[in-house]
């Protein structure tokens, strides 16, 4: 994810999140997750684990996957897969903890995934 692309609907808040106090988008333009383990139940992905890097800090993260399914899209006729995923992490572990404990440290990531083969 390009950290400079953060969009909250508020230009003021976007600027704050891109600043040195948070994502420091100028120095760390990319946050990334690299999975090293995908867990299946039958043919369905149920979780993945890997490493999340934000601001040059890398920590292990487990991502729970729900509603994983694959089928043909009725409009494009492409075979597509989709899922919902979620993870919890601590802002302060990634040097994003400004104002903790006055503002909560634990955050939830909710991810919607849709993919198709080219």
């Amino acid at each position: 994810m390009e950290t400079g692309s953060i969009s909250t609907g508020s230009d003021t808040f976007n600027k704050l999140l891109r600043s040195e106090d948070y994502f420091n988008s100028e120095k760390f333009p990319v946050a990334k997750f690299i999975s090293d383990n995908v867990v299946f139940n039958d043919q369905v992905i149920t979780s993945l684990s890997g490493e999340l890097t934000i601001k040059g800090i890398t920590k292990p993260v487990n991502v729970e996957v729900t509603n994983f399914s694959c089928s043909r899209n009725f409009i494009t006729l492409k075979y597509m897969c989709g899922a919902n995923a979620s993870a919890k992490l601590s802002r302060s572990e990634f040097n994003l903890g400004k104002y903790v404990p006055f503002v909560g440290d634990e955050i939830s990531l909710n991810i919607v995934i849709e993919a198709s083969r080219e």
Side-chain angles (χ1 to χ4, degrees):
M1 172 187 102
E2 293 180 15
T3 59
S5 71
I6 292 169
S7 178
T8 65
S10 165
D11 290 337
T12 302
F13 195 41
N14 294 343
K15 186 176 179 180
L16 176 66
L17 290 176
R18 294 172 187 153
S19 75
E20 290 180 22
D21 288 336
Y22 291 95
F23 287 96
N24 196 355
S25 297
E26 193 169 310
K27 185 173 180 182
F28 301 101
V30 174
K32 65 181 177 178
F33 174 76
I34 298 175
S35 177
D36 57 14
N37 186 38
V38 179
V39 177
F40 289 85
N41 182 0
D42 293 322
Q43 297 287 323
V44 177
I45 298 172
T46 58
S47 68
L48 26 122
S49 58
E51 294 186 328
L52 177 63
T53 302
I54 301 173
K55 293 179 78 173
I57 300 166
T58 302
K59 299 285 183 181
V61 172
N62 188 53
V63 178
E64 296 299 320
V65 178
T66 59
N67 301 320
F68 180 88
S69 67
C70 297
S71 64
R72 189 159 305 279
N73 181 300
F74 295 113
I75 297 171
T76 65
L77 301 179
K78 287 184 177 182
Y79 192 72
M80 302 185 74
C81 293
N84 295 329
S86 63
K88 293 189 183 283
L89 56 102
S90 168
R91 294 187 307 122
S92 59
E93 287 185 348
F94 293 95
N95 196 19
L96 298 168
K98 188 164 178 115
Y99 302 120
V100 168
F102 304 109
V103 176
D105 191 27
E106 184 178 273
I107 62 167
S108 297
L109 299 176
N110 296 306
I111 307 155
V112 177
I113 303 163
E114 185 176 81
S116 68
R117 288 185 184 169
E118 287 297 316

